[in-house]
Amino acid sequence: MDTAAHTTPRREALTGAAGLLTAAIGALAGLAVWLPYARSGLSGAFESERNTDILFLGLPLLLLGGTLTALAAFAAVRGRWRTALALAAATTALAALGYGLDVLAEPQAASDCGSPC
């Protein structure tokens, strides 16, 4: 009997479950990074000015970025260097997009408050 044929599906299932858990932890890490910006940007600053880009652009970018970063690390640990490099490149592209769109900016009044604040 070939025992390798019987263990391969189980090993693949465990690897898939570990990858899913890694992606979920990455998404939670992205959410944890987003929360401090959300508090200052969505609660409103002077005259209740809000920055809704934090919700509509920042949250999806950070959730996806956290997931991609965790999966890149998971792929690197498994020795899949091309996949890890591709995921790291996608994470870098997301970071550049986020910085370009300034999705984590606080409301204008809070950032330009000056010395009286």
Side-chain angles (χ1 to χ4, degrees):
M1 276 175 53
D2 187 17
T3 59
H6 295 292
T7 59
T8 302
R10 181 180 175 144
R11 172 165 266 185
E12 287 179 8
L14 289 175
T15 303
L20 180 65
L21 182 63
T22 302
I25 289 171
L28 287 175
L31 182 65
V33 169
W34 176 79
L35 281 175
Y37 293 101
R39 188 176 322 134
S40 66
L42 295 177
S43 64
F46 181 70
E47 294 181 354
S48 298
E49 181 183 355
R50 296 173 187 203
N51 185 2
T52 55
D53 287 345
I54 291 175
L55 178 64
F56 297 122
L57 294 174
L59 179 61
L61 282 176
L62 282 172
L63 287 176
L64 189 58
T67 302
L68 287 175
T69 303
L71 288 176
F74 183 70
V77 166
R78 292 189 59 220
R80 303 200 177 220
W81 299 108
R82 288 184 184 174
T83 304
L85 186 61
L87 289 168
T91 303
T92 304
L94 274 178
L97 179 66
Y99 286 125
L101 295 175
D102 200 18
V103 296
L104 295 180
E106 49 189 42
Q108 191 67 26
S111 61
D112 294 338
C113 188
S115 63
C117 295

XYZ file of all heavy atoms in Angstrom:
824
model
N 0.834 -1.187 0.000
C 0.000 0.000 0.000
C 0.872 1.240 0.000
O 1.900 1.304 0.650
C -0.874 0.019 1.247
C -2.118 -0.792 1.045
S -3.168 -0.975 2.476
C -3.470 0.617 3.039
N 0.390 2.217 -0.696
C 1.104 3.486 -0.768
C 0.549 4.425 0.308
O -0.570 4.916 0.200
C 0.929 4.085 -2.157
C 1.772 5.318 -2.350
O 2.713 5.524 -1.563
O 1.488 6.081 -3.292
N 1.324 4.642 1.368
C 0.849 5.475 2.468
C 0.921 6.955 2.131
O 0.223 7.755 2.731
C 1.667 5.206 3.747
O 3.044 5.484 3.470
C 1.485 3.791 4.205
N 1.768 7.345 1.174
C 1.877 8.760 0.818
C 0.587 9.276 0.187
O 0.222 10.427 0.362
C 3.059 8.973 -0.130
N -0.110 8.432 -0.535
C -1.357 8.848 -1.171
C -2.445 9.111 -0.136
O -3.327 9.933 -0.350
C -1.818 7.794 -2.160
N -2.378 8.417 1.010
C -3.396 8.598 2.043
C -3.110 9.805 2.915
O -4.034 10.396 3.458
C -3.499 7.342 2.904
C -3.986 6.146 2.138
N -5.260 6.058 1.649
C -3.355 5.015 1.768
C -5.406 4.914 1.009
N -4.259 4.254 1.072
N -1.864 10.177 3.090
C -1.541 11.310 3.959
C -1.565 12.645 3.221
O -1.705 13.674 3.844
C -0.156 11.120 4.606
O 0.818 11.010 3.582
C -0.144 9.906 5.492
N -1.453 12.649 1.912
C -1.390 13.900 1.155
C -2.675 14.728 1.275
O -2.588 15.917 1.530
C -1.047 13.619 -0.317
O 0.204 12.932 -0.366
C -0.955 14.890 -1.112
N -3.862 14.160 1.124
C -5.057 14.991 1.278
C -5.196 15.588 2.676
O -5.616 16.731 2.821
C -6.212 14.036 0.976
C -5.610 12.970 0.133
C -4.207 12.828 0.625
N -4.811 14.821 3.690
C -4.906 15.346 5.055
C -3.911 16.488 5.257
O -4.230 17.501 5.856
C -4.658 14.234 6.053
C -4.767 14.725 7.464
C -4.536 13.636 8.458
N -4.545 14.216 9.776
C -5.028 13.638 10.835
N -5.542 12.434 10.735
N -4.996 14.225 11.994
N -2.701 16.300 4.758
C -1.685 17.349 4.886
C -2.119 18.606 4.124
O -1.937 19.727 4.604
C -0.351 16.862 4.372
C 0.686 17.978 4.309
C 2.025 17.433 4.154
N 2.527 17.343 5.522
C 3.725 16.983 5.851
N 4.567 16.616 4.917
N 4.118 16.945 7.081
N -2.696 18.428 2.949
C -3.187 19.576 2.191
C -4.315 20.280 2.924
O -4.401 21.513 2.910
C -3.638 19.144 0.806
C -2.498 18.795 -0.116
C -2.983 18.343 -1.484
O -4.197 18.446 -1.757
O -2.144 17.890 -2.269
N -5.170 19.523 3.569
C -6.267 20.121 4.330
C -5.733 20.908 5.525
O -6.211 22.010 5.818
C -7.229 19.036 4.802
N -4.738 20.367 6.208
C -4.141 21.083 7.332
C -3.416 22.340 6.878
O -3.489 23.382 7.534
C -3.191 20.162 8.104
C -3.846 19.065 8.920
C -2.797 18.145 9.530
C -4.711 19.664 10.014
N -2.738 22.245 5.758
C -2.052 23.417 5.214
C -3.059 24.482 4.802
O -2.856 25.672 5.056
C -1.176 23.023 4.021
O -0.248 22.031 4.430
C -0.424 24.209 3.472
N -4.146 24.076 4.194
C -5.191 25.024 3.820
C -5.832 25.683 5.024
O -6.096 26.890 5.024
N -6.077 24.901 6.062
C -6.652 25.467 7.287
C -5.682 26.437 7.948
O -6.077 27.496 8.451
C -7.027 24.347 8.258
N -4.393 26.094 7.939
C -3.391 27.004 8.502
C -3.301 28.282 7.677
O -3.148 29.380 8.238
C -2.034 26.313 8.565
N -3.412 28.186 6.367
C -3.409 29.372 5.514
C -4.620 30.256 5.761
O -4.511 31.485 5.800
N -5.771 29.647 5.951
C -6.983 30.406 6.255
C -6.856 31.107 7.593
O -7.228 32.281 7.734
C -8.195 29.472 6.252
C -9.534 30.129 6.564
C -9.902 31.118 5.474
C -10.604 29.069 6.712
N -6.330 30.409 8.594
C -6.119 31.019 9.907
C -5.114 32.166 9.811
O -5.306 33.218 10.426
C -5.635 29.961 10.903
C -5.414 30.430 12.333
C -6.723 30.909 12.942
C -4.832 29.303 13.158
N -4.067 31.986 9.029
C -3.079 33.045 8.836
C -3.716 34.261 8.180
O -3.459 35.407 8.584
C -1.915 32.528 7.968
O -1.330 31.397 8.617
C -0.869 33.586 7.750
N -4.554 34.054 7.175
C -5.229 35.168 6.505
C -6.167 35.897 7.461
O -6.238 37.129 7.458
C -6.001 34.654 5.293
N -6.877 35.163 8.295
C -7.784 35.785 9.263
C -7.007 36.601 10.291
O -7.416 37.715 10.654
C -8.623 34.719 9.958
N -5.885 36.091 10.749
C -5.062 36.834 11.703
C -4.492 38.089 11.045
O -4.428 39.158 11.668
C -3.951 35.930 12.273
C -4.577 34.893 13.205
C -2.887 36.735 13.003
C -3.624 33.825 13.659
N -4.107 37.984 9.780
C -3.627 39.158 9.055
C -4.700 40.217 8.906
O -4.432 41.416 9.045
N -5.923 39.803 8.620
C -7.034 40.757 8.505
C -7.302 41.426 9.849
O -7.559 42.634 9.909
C -8.284 40.053 7.991
N -7.233 40.668 10.928
C -7.412 41.260 12.260
C -6.292 42.239 12.587
O -6.529 43.268 13.223
C -7.491 40.161 13.316
C -8.782 39.353 13.326
C -8.697 38.213 14.343
C -9.975 40.242 13.629
N -5.077 41.935 12.154
C -3.965 42.866 12.370
C -4.190 44.149 11.574
O -3.927 45.256 12.077
C -2.647 42.214 11.966
N -4.685 44.038 10.351
C -5.015 45.226 9.567
C -6.105 46.051 10.227
O -6.046 47.286 10.251
N -7.094 45.393 10.802
C -8.150 46.092 11.525
C -7.590 46.792 12.758
O -7.966 47.928 13.070
C -9.251 45.109 11.922
C -10.453 45.682 12.656
C -11.224 46.630 11.752
C -11.353 44.567 13.146
N -6.670 46.145 13.451
C -6.064 46.753 14.641
C -5.244 47.982 14.277
O -5.200 48.951 15.040
C -5.191 45.727 15.356
N -4.607 47.967 13.120
C -3.856 49.146 12.672
C -4.816 50.263 12.270
O -4.549 51.439 12.490
C -2.921 48.768 11.496
C -2.327 49.987 10.834
C -1.820 47.843 11.983
N -5.954 49.911 11.705
C -6.919 50.900 11.224
C -7.668 51.600 12.357
O -8.017 52.774 12.238
C -7.912 50.197 10.303
C -9.020 51.063 9.795
C -8.955 51.970 8.781
C -10.365 51.099 10.271
N -10.170 52.557 8.593
C -11.057 52.048 9.498
C -11.050 50.420 11.278
C -12.400 52.327 9.689
C -12.385 50.698 11.467
C -13.038 51.645 10.684
N -7.914 50.932 13.463
C -8.770 51.473 14.524
C -8.336 52.826 15.077
O -9.189 53.704 15.262
C -8.917 50.453 15.651
C -9.909 49.330 15.371
C -9.889 48.305 16.490
C -11.305 49.860 15.170
N -7.065 53.077 15.385
C -6.720 54.412 15.901
C -7.004 55.534 14.899
O -7.415 56.625 15.287
C -5.218 54.316 16.174
C -4.920 52.880 16.262
C -5.923 52.181 15.421
N -6.804 55.264 13.618
C -7.105 56.275 12.606
C -8.607 56.479 12.482
O -9.067 57.595 12.254
C -6.527 55.856 11.254
C -5.030 55.842 11.235
C -4.330 54.649 11.360
C -4.315 57.016 11.120
C -2.953 54.636 11.350
C -2.929 57.010 11.113
C -2.260 55.812 11.231
O -0.902 55.795 11.230
N -9.356 55.415 12.631
C -10.811 55.521 12.527
C -11.377 56.361 13.663
O -12.291 57.155 13.459
C -11.435 54.131 12.549
N -10.824 56.196 14.844
C -11.320 56.944 15.994
C -11.153 58.447 15.775
O -12.072 59.216 15.997
C -10.591 56.514 17.265
C -11.192 57.104 18.509
C -10.527 56.598 19.776
N -10.186 55.187 19.684
C -9.009 54.702 20.043
N -8.079 55.478 20.525
N -8.754 53.413 19.938
N -9.982 58.864 15.303
C -9.756 60.293 15.120
C -10.412 60.825 13.848
O -10.838 61.966 13.805
C -8.255 60.591 15.079
O -7.668 60.007 13.931
N -10.525 60.002 12.825
C -11.069 60.479 11.564
C -12.577 60.444 11.474
O -13.180 61.272 10.802
N -13.207 59.497 12.137
C -14.663 59.365 12.036
C -15.419 60.029 13.167
O -16.596 60.315 13.037
C -15.049 57.889 11.949
C -14.571 57.157 10.698
C -14.966 55.692 10.770
C -15.116 57.796 9.447
N -14.753 60.269 14.287
C -15.455 60.896 15.403
C -15.640 62.382 15.184
O -16.444 63.009 15.854
C -14.695 60.648 16.713
O -13.425 61.274 16.658
N -14.895 62.949 14.268
C -15.055 64.372 13.966
C -14.105 65.209 14.795
O -13.774 64.899 15.934
N -13.648 66.263 14.212
C -12.737 67.183 14.892
C -13.492 68.491 15.102
O -14.625 68.477 15.523
C -11.488 67.374 14.048
N -12.869 69.565 14.788
C -13.483 70.885 14.933
C -14.735 70.962 14.070
O -14.715 70.661 12.880
C -12.464 71.959 14.519
C -12.984 73.347 14.659
C -13.188 73.891 15.914
C -13.273 74.097 13.549
C -13.657 75.164 16.048
C -13.745 75.375 13.674
C -13.942 75.924 14.931
N -15.843 71.352 14.648
C -17.147 71.454 13.987
C -17.567 70.149 13.329
O -18.173 70.133 12.266
C -17.136 72.601 12.967
C -16.989 73.959 13.612
C -17.006 75.083 12.595
O -17.011 74.806 11.381
O -17.012 76.233 13.037
N -17.212 69.051 13.935
C -17.604 67.700 13.515
C -17.200 67.361 12.085
O -17.899 66.636 11.383
C -19.107 67.494 13.684
O -19.452 67.611 15.040
N -16.070 67.884 11.645
C -15.568 67.528 10.330
C -15.078 66.087 10.373
O -14.371 65.687 11.274
C -14.417 68.451 9.937
C -13.865 68.151 8.581
C -12.671 69.028 8.248
O -12.345 69.911 9.029
O -12.075 68.778 7.210
N -15.462 65.310 9.375
C -15.101 63.898 9.336
C -14.381 63.570 8.042
O -14.570 64.225 7.033
C -16.341 63.028 9.452
C -17.007 63.206 10.779
C -18.293 62.489 10.847
N -18.925 62.880 12.104
C -19.820 62.179 12.701
N -20.231 61.064 12.183
N -20.332 62.588 13.819
N -13.596 62.521 8.097
C -12.904 62.036 6.906
C -13.421 60.631 6.626
O -12.952 59.655 7.190
C -11.393 62.029 7.130
C -10.641 61.654 5.891
O -11.224 61.424 4.842
N -9.329 61.586 5.995
N -14.396 60.530 5.735
C -15.002 59.227 5.445
C -14.117 58.365 4.559
O -14.391 57.178 4.401
C -16.375 59.395 4.783
O -16.236 60.213 3.620
C -17.359 60.047 5.746
N -13.052 58.940 3.981
C -12.116 58.122 3.207
C -11.466 57.056 4.081
O -11.072 56.005 3.586
C -11.026 58.988 2.579
C -11.546 59.817 1.426
O -12.653 59.514 0.945
O -10.849 60.766 1.017
N -11.369 57.331 5.376
C -10.798 56.343 6.291
C -11.661 55.088 6.314
O -11.152 53.972 6.375
C -10.649 56.932 7.709
C -9.573 58.005 7.697
C -10.331 55.866 8.732
C -9.426 58.720 9.002
N -12.963 55.250 6.218
C -13.860 54.100 6.241
C -13.942 53.422 4.876
O -13.807 52.202 4.774
C -15.252 54.534 6.694
C -16.321 53.460 6.739
C -15.963 52.403 7.775
C -17.664 54.063 7.060
N -14.136 54.208 3.822
C -14.401 53.630 2.504
C -13.145 53.212 1.757
O -13.214 52.351 0.885
C -15.215 54.599 1.662
C -16.573 54.874 2.253
C -16.958 56.159 2.560
C -17.444 53.841 2.524
C -18.207 56.418 3.112
C -18.681 54.080 3.080
C -19.062 55.377 3.379
N -12.010 53.824 2.049
C -10.771 53.453 1.378
C -9.769 52.820 2.340
O -9.127 51.826 2.010
C -10.133 54.685 0.717
C -10.912 55.313 -0.425
C -10.240 56.596 -0.878
C -11.048 54.356 -1.571
N -9.628 53.403 3.511
C -8.615 52.925 4.464
C -8.900 51.538 5.006
O -7.995 50.697 5.078
N -10.130 51.276 5.396
C -10.465 49.972 5.969
C -10.244 48.829 4.978
O -9.544 47.861 5.302
C -11.896 49.969 6.499
C -12.382 48.652 7.098
C -11.529 48.242 8.285
C -13.837 48.755 7.503
N -10.772 48.905 3.746
C -10.501 47.795 2.824
C -9.020 47.627 2.494
O -8.529 46.502 2.396
C -11.291 48.165 1.565
C -12.310 49.138 2.004
C -11.735 49.856 3.175
N -8.296 48.747 2.345
C -6.870 48.639 2.035
C -6.091 47.996 3.171
O -5.211 47.161 2.941
C -6.288 50.017 1.714
C -6.576 50.557 0.318
C -6.030 51.963 0.169
C -5.998 49.657 -0.734
N -6.399 48.358 4.409
C -5.670 47.771 5.529
C -6.074 46.323 5.788
O -5.232 45.508 6.171
C -5.844 48.620 6.786
C -4.965 49.864 6.791
C -5.311 50.772 7.949
C -3.511 49.485 6.840
N -7.325 45.985 5.592
C -7.723 44.583 5.730
C -7.042 43.719 4.674
O -6.494 42.653 4.982
C -9.242 44.441 5.629
C -10.062 44.919 6.816
C -11.546 44.790 6.510
C -9.714 44.146 8.059
N -7.046 44.191 3.446
C -6.405 43.440 2.366
C -4.890 43.420 2.547
O -4.246 42.394 2.329
C -6.785 44.047 1.016
C -6.378 43.276 -0.222
C -6.961 41.869 -0.194
C -6.836 44.007 -1.465
N -4.321 44.541 2.967
C -2.881 44.592 3.193
C -2.426 43.678 4.312
O -1.409 42.995 4.199
N -3.189 43.634 5.395
C -2.855 42.720 6.487
C -2.955 41.265 6.066
O -2.105 40.441 6.409
N -3.978 40.957 5.288
C -4.148 39.592 4.792
C -3.010 39.196 3.857
O -2.432 38.108 3.990
C -5.503 39.462 4.065
O -6.546 39.827 4.970
C -5.721 38.055 3.578
N -2.666 40.092 2.915
C -1.591 39.784 1.980
C -0.243 39.645 2.679
O 0.563 38.778 2.330
C -1.509 40.863 0.900
C -2.613 40.871 -0.147
C -2.463 42.067 -1.071
C -2.629 39.586 -0.927
N 0.004 40.488 3.663
C 1.270 40.404 4.402
C 1.380 39.088 5.153
O 2.430 38.433 5.135
C 1.393 41.589 5.378
O 1.293 42.806 4.631
C 2.701 41.557 6.121
N 0.305 38.687 5.811
C 0.326 37.424 6.549
C 0.484 36.234 5.604
O 1.235 35.295 5.899
C -0.953 37.279 7.377
N -0.188 36.274 4.463
C -0.057 35.177 3.509
C 1.321 35.146 2.862
O 1.836 34.075 2.537
C -1.148 35.263 2.443
C -2.553 34.904 2.936
C -3.570 35.106 1.822
C -2.604 33.483 3.463
N 1.946 36.318 2.677
C 3.318 36.356 2.158
C 4.272 35.701 3.148
O 5.155 34.923 2.756
C 3.738 37.796 1.871
N 4.091 35.992 4.430
C 4.935 35.353 5.445
C 4.680 33.848 5.494
O 5.617 33.053 5.614
C 4.669 35.985 6.812
N 3.424 33.442 5.360
C 3.077 32.026 5.370
C 3.712 31.306 4.181
O 4.258 30.204 4.320
C 1.553 31.874 5.346
C 1.064 30.455 5.420
C 1.193 29.727 6.587
C 0.466 29.861 4.326
C 0.733 28.411 6.654
C 0.004 28.559 4.382
C 0.143 27.837 5.555
N 3.664 31.942 3.009
C 4.268 31.342 1.823
C 5.782 31.255 1.964
O 6.398 30.271 1.546
C 3.892 32.140 0.578
N 6.395 32.264 2.572
C 7.851 32.242 2.771
C 8.250 31.134 3.743
O 9.249 30.437 3.527
C 8.329 33.595 3.279
N 7.471 30.949 4.790
C 7.763 29.882 5.756
C 7.635 28.512 5.090
O 8.424 27.603 5.374
C 6.822 29.994 6.983
C 6.859 28.745 7.834
C 7.190 31.208 7.813
N 6.703 28.382 4.181
C 6.526 27.106 3.472
C 7.544 26.903 2.364
O 7.598 25.841 1.758
C 5.111 27.029 2.880
C 4.050 26.927 3.948
C 2.690 26.628 3.381
N 2.727 25.366 2.650
C 2.092 25.175 1.492
N 1.408 26.134 0.936
N 2.159 24.007 0.901
N 8.356 27.919 2.084
C 9.383 27.792 1.068
C 8.914 28.116 -0.338
O 9.589 27.799 -1.306
N 7.799 28.736 -0.476
C 7.270 29.128 -1.790
C 7.661 30.577 -2.041
O 6.884 31.505 -1.813
C 5.774 28.939 -1.833
C 5.416 27.513 -1.519
C 4.078 27.161 -1.996
N 3.856 25.746 -1.704
C 3.252 24.959 -2.538
N 2.822 25.412 -3.669
N 3.076 23.701 -2.223
N 8.894 30.771 -2.491
C 9.486 32.096 -2.572
C 8.853 32.960 -3.658
O 8.701 34.169 -3.454
C 10.998 31.979 -2.778
C 11.619 31.268 -1.633
C 12.121 30.001 -1.625
C 11.760 31.753 -0.303
N 12.578 29.672 -0.373
C 12.365 30.736 0.462
C 11.429 32.950 0.323
C 12.656 30.879 1.810
C 11.721 33.095 1.664
C 12.322 32.066 2.397
N 8.493 32.382 -4.769
C 7.875 33.182 -5.839
C 6.507 33.703 -5.402
O 6.156 34.849 -5.669
C 7.752 32.374 -7.118
C 9.073 32.138 -7.778
C 8.907 31.416 -9.077
N 10.211 31.115 -9.643
C 10.392 30.399 -10.700
N 9.356 29.892 -11.341
N 11.605 30.171 -11.150
N 5.748 32.853 -4.753
C 4.442 33.278 -4.251
C 4.604 34.351 -3.186
O 3.875 35.347 -3.178
C 3.675 32.070 -3.684
O 3.576 31.067 -4.696
C 2.291 32.461 -3.223
N 5.566 34.150 -2.294
C 5.809 35.142 -1.242
C 6.242 36.472 -1.838
O 5.800 37.535 -1.386
C 6.862 34.628 -0.268
N 7.082 36.431 -2.854
C 7.531 37.660 -3.501
C 6.382 38.369 -4.210
O 6.264 39.599 -4.150
C 8.660 37.344 -4.484
C 9.330 38.541 -5.149
C 9.962 39.446 -4.110
C 10.368 38.069 -6.142
N 5.519 37.609 -4.861
C 4.358 38.204 -5.527
C 3.407 38.834 -4.516
O 2.880 39.940 -4.738
C 3.631 37.156 -6.357
N 3.182 38.172 -3.395
C 2.313 38.724 -2.359
C 2.939 39.964 -1.718
O 2.238 40.932 -1.398
C 2.008 37.671 -1.300
C 1.069 36.549 -1.750
C 1.062 35.423 -0.735
C -0.321 37.081 -1.969
N 4.254 39.947 -1.532
C 4.936 41.125 -0.985
C 4.858 42.293 -1.962
O 4.685 43.449 -1.556
C 6.382 40.787 -0.661
N 4.960 42.022 -3.254
C 4.825 43.081 -4.261
C 3.408 43.650 -4.261
O 3.215 44.871 -4.390
C 5.187 42.543 -5.633
N 2.414 42.796 -4.101
C 1.028 43.270 -4.026
C 0.809 44.118 -2.778
O 0.103 45.133 -2.818
C 0.065 42.080 -4.038
N 1.427 43.730 -1.668
C 1.329 44.518 -0.440
C 1.983 45.882 -0.624
O 1.451 46.906 -0.184
C 1.998 43.764 0.727
O 1.370 42.492 0.865
C 1.873 44.528 2.018
N 3.121 45.907 -1.298
C 3.801 47.173 -1.571
C 2.948 48.067 -2.471
O 2.864 49.284 -2.245
C 5.171 46.905 -2.221
O 5.922 46.050 -1.366
C 5.928 48.179 -2.467
N 2.313 47.488 -3.465
C 1.436 48.261 -4.347
C 0.246 48.825 -3.572
O -0.153 49.979 -3.788
C 0.957 47.395 -5.503
N -0.314 48.038 -2.655
C -1.418 48.536 -1.824
C -0.962 49.667 -0.919
O -1.686 50.643 -0.721
C -1.989 47.402 -0.968
C -3.050 46.542 -1.598
C -3.470 45.441 -0.644
C -4.241 47.354 -1.997
N 0.235 49.538 -0.345
C 0.762 50.598 0.509
C 0.974 51.879 -0.288
O 0.641 52.975 0.173
C 2.063 50.151 1.160
N 1.496 51.755 -1.496
C 1.691 52.931 -2.349
C 0.355 53.571 -2.713
O 0.218 54.802 -2.710
C 2.458 52.543 -3.607
N -0.638 52.755 -2.991
C -1.971 53.268 -3.287
C -2.549 53.988 -2.077
O -3.135 55.063 -2.189
C -2.890 52.125 -3.726
C -4.328 52.502 -4.059
C -4.376 53.384 -5.302
C -5.157 51.249 -4.264
N -2.387 53.393 -0.917
C -2.892 54.018 0.307
C -2.223 55.341 0.614
O -2.879 56.316 0.983
N -0.906 55.391 0.447
C -0.197 56.655 0.665
C -0.571 57.680 -0.399
O -0.687 58.869 -0.112
C 1.315 56.440 0.673
C 1.815 55.786 1.917
C 2.566 54.620 1.846
C 1.545 56.293 3.172
C 3.033 53.992 2.989
C 1.990 55.684 4.323
C 2.743 54.531 4.218
O 3.195 53.915 5.350
N -0.754 57.232 -1.617
C -1.133 58.146 -2.694
C -2.513 58.740 -2.491
O -2.737 59.921 -2.755
N -3.447 57.952 -2.027
C -4.801 58.432 -1.767
C -4.942 59.091 -0.405
O -5.988 59.668 -0.106
C -5.804 57.274 -1.873
C -5.957 56.644 -3.251
C -6.876 55.440 -3.176
C -6.485 57.660 -4.248
N -3.918 58.980 0.433
C -3.901 59.552 1.788
C -5.122 59.087 2.588
O -5.853 59.876 3.176
C -3.855 61.068 1.717
C -3.351 61.691 3.001
O -2.726 60.966 3.803
O -3.572 62.893 3.209
N -5.331 57.776 2.587
C -6.542 57.223 3.183
C -6.536 57.238 4.708
O -7.578 57.088 5.319
C -6.807 55.781 2.696
C -7.067 55.765 1.221
C -5.667 54.866 3.053
N -5.390 57.425 5.325
C -5.346 57.441 6.781
C -5.177 58.854 7.336
O -4.770 59.049 8.476
C -4.207 56.549 7.287
C -4.391 55.067 6.973
C -3.224 54.269 7.506
C -5.690 54.550 7.539
N -5.503 59.847 6.534
C -5.381 61.234 6.990
C -6.483 61.546 7.988
O -7.618 61.104 7.851
C -5.477 62.182 5.807
N -6.126 62.321 8.989
C -7.144 62.755 9.943
C -7.870 63.955 9.362
O -7.450 64.518 8.356
C -6.511 63.061 11.286
C -5.304 63.934 11.238
C -4.619 64.018 12.583
O -4.484 63.010 13.272
O -4.233 65.126 12.923
N -8.977 64.380 9.953
C -9.699 65.530 9.420
C -8.794 66.757 9.343
O -7.884 66.926 10.148
C -10.831 65.743 10.412
C -11.015 64.423 11.054
C -9.659 63.775 11.077
N -9.065 67.623 8.388
C -8.211 68.776 8.134
C -8.094 69.671 9.365
O -7.019 70.167 9.669
C -8.770 69.571 6.954
C -7.827 70.628 6.429
C -6.588 70.030 5.799
O -6.605 68.907 5.328
N -5.505 70.759 5.799
N -9.175 69.902 10.069
C -9.132 70.784 11.238
C -8.247 70.216 12.329
O -7.592 70.957 13.063
C -10.534 71.015 11.765
N -8.182 68.912 12.475
C -7.367 68.312 13.526
C -5.890 68.375 13.182
O -5.050 68.531 14.061
C -7.776 66.869 13.754
N -5.549 68.309 11.909
C -4.147 68.336 11.540
C -3.603 69.747 11.451
O -2.415 69.970 11.609
C -3.920 67.595 10.222
O -4.647 68.234 9.194
N -4.456 70.768 11.201
C -4.019 72.154 11.087
C -4.442 72.997 12.270
O -4.677 74.195 12.141
C -4.572 72.777 9.807
C -3.992 72.138 8.563
O -2.915 71.558 8.668
O -4.625 72.239 7.502
N -4.541 72.414 13.422
C -5.101 73.107 14.574
C -4.190 74.229 15.069
O -4.646 75.268 15.470
C -5.366 72.094 15.685
S -6.251 72.798 17.064
N -2.898 74.029 15.082
C -1.976 75.084 15.512
C -1.741 75.086 17.007
O -2.048 74.132 17.721
N -1.224 76.180 17.510
C -0.807 76.244 18.914
C -1.942 76.297 19.930
O -1.759 75.868 21.055
C 0.128 77.434 19.120
O -0.559 78.637 18.844
N -3.148 76.835 19.622
C -4.192 76.851 20.657
C -4.658 75.467 21.081
O -5.219 75.305 22.143
C -5.344 77.623 20.014
C -4.777 78.319 18.867
C -3.562 77.597 18.457
N -4.449 74.492 20.251
C -4.890 73.136 20.591
C -3.918 72.534 21.536
O -4.069 71.620 22.192
C -5.013 72.274 19.347
S -6.286 72.852 18.231
